[in-house]
Amino acid sequence: MLATSTPRLFLDGNVTRPFRCGAHTFDLARPLVMGVLNVTPDSFSDGGRFLDRQSALAHARRMRDDGADLIDIGGESTRPGALPVLEHEELERVIPLVETLSAEGAAVAVDTRKPGVMRAAIAAGAALVNDIGALTAPGALEACAAGTAGVCLMHMQGDPQTMQDSPGYADVVAEVRDFLVVRARACEAAGIGRERIVIDPGFGFGKTLAHNLALLRSLGALVTTGYPVLAGLSRKASLGTIVGRPVGERLAASLAAALAAVQRGATIVRVHDVRETVDALKVWNAAGLNP
Ligand code: 9MG
């Protein structure tokens, strides 16, 4: 285990700055908002709503106009129990959107585990590869190293089909942190500079409510690695368990979770409700609560 020996790597304040992803550079002086666009029939929150290209583009542009710094496009659902999608189908869903939105100047992230989709997305102008598998698929590191896009490395125990069956850890915070540091170092060894790397504890990916809360409380353990931390809690089942509400009624819970995450040092929040999150963060910023 790396738990006790993980060095503080390259700190400027707490976190490596700036964050470089493709044609975009973010100074991380304030938390960034990443808006979610699922072009899938089966995502847990908005499955089926944006399969049509025009409605997907309209939703992405709305999120951009509402203040999203990044738009995260996913063509394969990652919700618990989700089945894999063929590569050609994922490409057809995602790449035209990446091309159009990148050409309009948006910073586009592509949520994929497939190296073929990563390569095509980077060629189409994607700024960030958001991989719930932390670039562990054969060829994924090479696909990202070949370009200049940023990478988001997420922790997941198991895979989406079975991950919530019986997640277990001896020390969830240490195990998640150690995994992410190992993956970040693998990226650097492959030629992906540290200024292009973001890490993510993967809330809800092979984790119980208690695991998610432990990670949220101890997000600082990830922040002290020096890599910027992304937190994705928006509308997730753990929030539903806490407040006892279905997925369509978790806005307040999601805002509270986003604020808790940035208060603990997250520099990017991945959210469905961009306008409301941007407003909440404006108040948080104005109050000078930045840790
Ligand atoms: C695709 N996806 C769904 N949830 C996510 C999360 O919490 N983080 C990241 N990076 N991607 C996610």
Side-chain angles (χ1 to χ4, degrees), residues 6-11 16 181 184-185 188 194 224-227:
T6 306
R8 291 166 67 90
L9 293 173
F10 32 83
L11 305 182
T16 313
V181 169
R185 288 182 179 160
E188 291 184 45
R194 60 195 186 194
T224 55
T225 65
Y227 298 99

Side-chain angles (χ1 to χ4, degrees), residues 72 78 111 130 132 152 154 200 202-203 205 230 232 236 270:
D72 188 33
T78 56
D111 151 24
N130 174 26
I132 64 163
C152 177
M154 199 198 79
D200 179 342
F203 291 107
F205 284 83
L230 184 150
K236 284 191 177 168
R270 182 180 181 276

Side-chain angles (χ1 to χ4, degrees), residues 31-36 38 44-45 70 72 78-80 111 128 130-132 152-156 163-164 176 180 198-209 211-213 215-216 219 222 228-240 242 250 253-262 264-273 277 281:
L32 305 180
V33 173
M34 174 191 265
V36 177
N38 288 315
F44 80 99
S45 169
L70 294 137
D72 188 33
T78 56
R79 73 173 164 74
D111 151 24
L128 181 71
N130 174 26
D131 184 3
I132 64 163
C152 177
L153 308 171
M154 199 198 79
H155 176 274
M156 169 170 60
M163 64 191 179
Q164 290 307 105
V176 167
L180 292 171
V198 172
I199 60 172
D200 179 342
F203 291 107
F205 284 83
K207 286 145 193 123
T208 62
L209 173 59
H211 296 141
N212 289 322
L213 291 175
L215 285 164
L216 183 55
L219 212 56
L222 269 57
V229 172
L230 184 150
L233 287 144
S234 176
R235 298 186 187 173
K236 284 191 177 168
S238 286
L239 303 185
I242 294 170
R250 296 179 190 160
S254 300
L255 294 174
L259 289 177
V262 297
R264 292 292 195 200
T267 42
I268 308 179
V269 286
R270 182 180 181 276
V271 303
H272 299 84
D273 302 290
T277 308
L281 288 174

